[in-house]
Amino acid sequence: MREIPGKRRRLLSKRNGGRPELLEQVLTFATQWQWPVLPGVAPDPQGRARCGCPDPECVVPGAHPFDPGLLAATTDERMVRWWWTNRPTAPIVLATGGTAPCAVSLPASAASRALAALDRTGMRLGPVVAAPHRWAILVAPYSMEQLGELLYAKDFVPGSLRFHSQGGYLALPPSETGHGLIRWERAPLPGSAAPWVPDVEAVVDAVVDALTRTGVSAPEF
């Protein structure tokens, strides 16, 4: 894939009047990067802010697995092609952990502050996924034991901070969900290899500080 000039480099191939081609993108995730993926449940056609799943109060409309369930996530090209041939607009859901990255997510305003703090330290960042209300910093896989020790050392951990680890999931660009378009805030560099991501320890300090400074302690969706 070619690199598109501009401030942000985009991995997305575009066709049909500039619309991202989901199948090509999901095949990159699954077959080139070996990230297990599956289709997310679509937003409710009767109202995009609602989800197509049975839960009338779903807080992540269209941005989670339902049928098939998360355990069906795969890197198999034939399965991926079959899913997105039959459901060409389905959101792309990453099964985090294992061979795939994990993530640390937080409200968008605090995430912007956290990224600025990390940039000031000269720390290298990998891809950052942006939903309209929350951003997710991709990090190397970590265990719950590792995470527990890391957070135990903190005096305070805001409730709006979320960790997507083994057994979790994350919607990837260019998915369209009930909350809007999922995009890259920091796009992966073009290439066939999976993008580099930092260790979780390297980002948690700045993320917790950003949330504390912005006063975001209650969960936000």
Side-chain angles (χ1 to χ4, degrees):
M1 296 181 184
R2 65 184 180 86
E3 182 177 351
I4 301 174
K7 183 178 179 180
R8 292 179 186 148
R9 286 168 294 204
R10 297 186 180 274
L11 190 64
L12 305 181
S13 171
K14 296 195 174 183
R15 298 175 182 170
N16 301 327
R19 295 183 60 187
E21 177 55 59
L22 274 171
L23 178 58
E24 185 171 344
Q25 184 62 75
V26 75
L27 285 172
T28 294
F29 295 145
T31 64
Q32 292 188 29
W33 297 357
Q34 292 297 293
W35 290 3
V37 295
L38 75 163
V41 61
D44 188 336
Q46 300 301 316
R48 294 197 63 81
R50 301 196 303 269
C51 190
C53 75
D55 183 1
E57 299 180 358
C58 180
V59 296
V60 285
H64 68 91
F66 174 63
D67 183 16
L70 185 62
L71 292 178
T74 184
T75 60
D76 182 76
E77 180 176 352
R78 290 175 299 175
M79 192 74 247
V80 168
R81 285 187 181 277
W82 187 85
W83 276 334
W84 269 271
T85 297
N86 288 277
R87 299 171 57 185
T89 62
I92 305 168
V93 174
L94 170 71
T96 53
T99 61
C102 292
V104 177
S105 73
L106 58 161
S109 59
S112 178
R113 184 187 292 269
L115 263 61
L118 292 171
D119 287 342
R120 286 193 295 272
T121 68
M123 178 186 157
R124 180 186 177 192
L125 284 174
V128 177
V129 174
H133 304 302
R134 295 186 68 87
W135 294 3
I137 303 170
L138 298 189
V139 297
Y142 54 80
S143 67
M144 293 308 296
E145 291 78 11
Q146 179 185 4
L147 179 62
E149 292 178 1
L150 180 62
L151 297 183
Y152 182 77
K154 302 292 179 187
D155 293 329
F156 172 69
V157 179
S160 60
L161 190 62
R162 297 181 194 155
F163 296 90
H164 309 254
S165 58
Q166 185 73 37
Y169 60 86
L170 184 71
L172 293 177
S175 302
E176 184 73 37
T177 73
H179 285 162
L181 181 68
I182 308 295
R183 61 177 179 82
W184 294 114
E185 175 62 24
R186 303 270 177 105
L189 296 175
S192 59
W196 176 89
V197 291
D199 291 334
V200 65
E201 294 92 340
V203 302
V204 164
D205 285 345
V207 165
V208 170
D209 181 66
L211 288 171
T212 303
R213 288 177 181 274
T214 54
V216 181
S217 58
E220 293 186 8
F221 301 108

